Amino acid sequence: MKIVVTGCAGFIGANFSNYWLDSHSQDTVIGIDCLTYAANIPALSKLKNRERFRFYKANICDKQAVEQIFLAESPDALINFAAESHVDNSIENSRIFVETNVLGTQTLLDLCLKHGIKRFHQVSTDEVYGDLPLDSEDAFTEASLLSPSSPYSASKAAADLLVLSYYKTHGLSVSISRSANNYGKYQHREKLIPKAIRCALHNESIPIYGNGSNIRDWIHVEDHCRAIEKIVCNAASGSIYNVGGSAMLSNITLVKEILALMNKPQSLIAFVADRKGHDRKYALNCNKLICELDWRPEVSFSDGLAETVEWYTMNE
Ligand SMILES: NC(=O)c1ccc[n+]([C@@H]2O[C@H](COP(=O)([O-])OP(=O)(O)OC[C@H]3O[C@@H](n4cnc5c(N)ncnc54)[C@H](O)[C@@H]3O)[C@@H](O)[C@H]2O)c1
């Protein structure tokens, strides 16, 4: 197969491109990225040195530029990772989130339809379901109502609905994965885990929103890549799968675990004014992915976090 990976220079897109090249020895990955501030240039440089990887600098909203790539490469499948991904930025300025996450997805869908792509996979987020009370025992299923809180998650929910509309209206072969918070190598330092590690390395205070009680489910990025692979290769068109990590932690517990791994004092933690509309708790029911596609997370959170702390310490 020839697969297009949009957002190939970002955190998950770079990990996924490497994962796919490692596990599909006959396949070619066509990477597309417009290299925003979030792109990881060292990760992209390593990818560019790999056989069976080709890179095109293009914006997914630019129909002509992406169509030229489709004409040159005739890809079989497209996996859309490209997005504006930072909730805080979406609170400050949501327009670029609508442009990339909604109009960019629509542009790709049109091109996939026109060029007869065999599968369009949308990489979505658990944030499209909104949040749960902290003491709730519930978990969102794929049938739960979409109730996003931030402009970021609203733009991702809009993209999910567009993807499904191309399946229902045009019969385009599509799938969607809604993943929990990812961690692992190559993540931008604006995100909680790399930021906490970096601050701790420099003995700087680590800002935590509110009282740190917000709960997130954490999944190792390689487990997420394995889930997307299972879905792209096996799932029926039009299907949606939740992808959780079974590691539910409050932000404050997470940061304390990082500090303990690094032998740093808890006095580095600094509570700051809460984020506007801060979601309290995310929890996913992943029985569909487990039962239908035989997927399970393979990386334990304690091993994955220790390896991640080590990686950022070596690759600051
Ligand atoms: N990181 C997480 O925890 C998480 C969880 C669930 C879902 N997701 C989703 O996974 C996908 C990847 O997330 P990430 O954390 O790797 O994001 P990221 O911000 O690290 O990377 C995004 C990449 O997309 C590129 N990009 C942005 N706008 C573009 C455009 N208009 N055209 C082409 N390229 C563009 C950027 O240059 C960057 O390389 C996103 O769709 C995100 O919504 C992320």
Side-chain angles (χ1 to χ4, degrees):
M1 282 219 297
K2 249 188 200 182
I3 62 162
V4 173
V5 172
T6 65
C8 67
F11 164 44
I12 311 177
N15 277 285
F16 183 83
S17 298
N18 280 310
Y19 173 78
W20 195 276
L21 290 167
D22 289 341
S23 50
H24 299 260
S25 59
Q26 305 298 312
D27 289 4
T28 300
V29 171
I30 312 299
I32 299 180
D33 201 298
C34 73
L35 306 183
T36 69
Y37 79 96
N40 188 319
I41 302 303
L44 178 62
S45 301
K46 282 192 192 153
L47 264 172
K48 282 180 178 168
N49 286 332
R50 295 197 61 161
E51 280 177 26
R52 299 180 287 113
F53 178 84
R54 282 194 286 283
F55 176 67
Y56 293 88
K57 184 171 186 275
N59 189 317
I60 60 165
C61 302
D62 184 341
K63 191 170 184 179
Q64 279 186 336
V66 180
E67 183 151 36
Q68 288 307 314
I69 302 168
F70 276 45
L71 289 170
E73 297 286 358
S74 305
D76 300 294
L78 182 146
I79 306 179
N80 184 25
F81 293 89
E84 287 294 331
S85 69
H86 196 44
V87 174
D88 286 349
N89 293 345
S90 79
I91 295 168
E92 293 304 315
N93 176 15
S94 59
R95 190 171 181 92
I96 185 74
F97 285 73
V98 176
E99 286 169 4
T100 289
N101 301 359
V102 184
L103 295 176
T105 302
Q106 182 262 334
T107 305
L108 294 174
L109 285 163
D110 268 351
L111 288 171
C112 285
L113 192 61
K114 182 171 173 189
H115 291 272
I117 292 278
K118 296 191 194 87
R119 173 56 57 97
F120 177 100
H121 182 81
Q122 175 72 358
V123 181
S124 186
T125 166
D126 59 357
E127 297 188 35
V128 296
Y129 299 120
D131 70 345
L132 293 163
L134 284 178
D135 58 358
S136 169
E137 301 280 309
D138 289 346
F140 295 115
T141 72
E142 291 81 357
S144 295
L145 194 72
L146 299 188
S147 182
S149 308
S150 69
Y152 161 69
S153 50
S155 68
K156 294 295 290 186
D160 283 11
L161 295 178
L162 269 173
V163 171
L164 293 173
S165 80
Y166 273 67
Y167 164 66
K168 288 180 189 160
T169 305
H170 299 292
L172 184 68
S173 174
V174 304
S175 46
I176 297 174
S177 51
R178 292 183 179 146
S179 150
N181 280 33
N182 285 225
Y183 70 98
K185 65 182 179 185
Y186 300 146
Q187 192 167 25
H188 196 278
R189 62 173 60 157
E190 69 192 354
K191 303 294 193 322
L192 181 59
I193 290 182
K195 184 193 277 180
I197 298 169
R198 185 163 180 277
C199 289
L201 277 174
H202 293 273
N203 298 311
E204 289 168 3
S205 60
I206 303 169
I208 303 280
Y209 282 129
N211 61 9
S213 62
N214 307 61
I215 294 173
R216 302 289 179 259
D217 179 17
W218 290 94
I219 180 170
H220 192 276
V221 65
E222 280 175 16
D223 280 328
H224 186 192
C225 293
R226 277 188 274 276
I228 295 172
E229 177 189 39
K230 288 247 180 200
I231 297 166
V232 169
C233 294
N234 304 300
S237 178
S239 53
I240 303 171
Y241 289 88
N242 287 343
V243 187
S246 312
M248 309 281 297
L249 281 109
S250 67
N251 290 345
I252 187 72
T253 306
L254 170 65
V255 172
K256 283 180 180 170
E257 287 196 17
I258 291 171
L259 290 171
L261 282 167
M262 297 175 73
N263 288 317
K264 296 285 183 176
Q266 291 189 12
S267 56
L268 288 178
I269 294 171
F271 294 104
V272 298
D274 210 352
R275 170 192 274 166
K276 282 188 201 168
H278 202 178
D279 281 343
R280 294 158 296 176
K281 178 180 181 181
Y282 302 133
L284 286 176
N285 176 325
C286 302
N287 287 344
K288 187 177 174 194
L289 183 58
I290 293 167
C291 297
E292 289 184 8
L293 300 184
D294 194 27
W295 171 91
R296 269 164 200 76
E298 291 175 18
V299 183
S300 78
F301 185 72
S302 54
D303 289 352
L305 188 65
E307 171 210 289
T308 301
V309 166
E310 195 183 328
W311 191 85
Y312 284 98
T313 305
M314 304 298 289
N315 297 277
E316 206 190 335

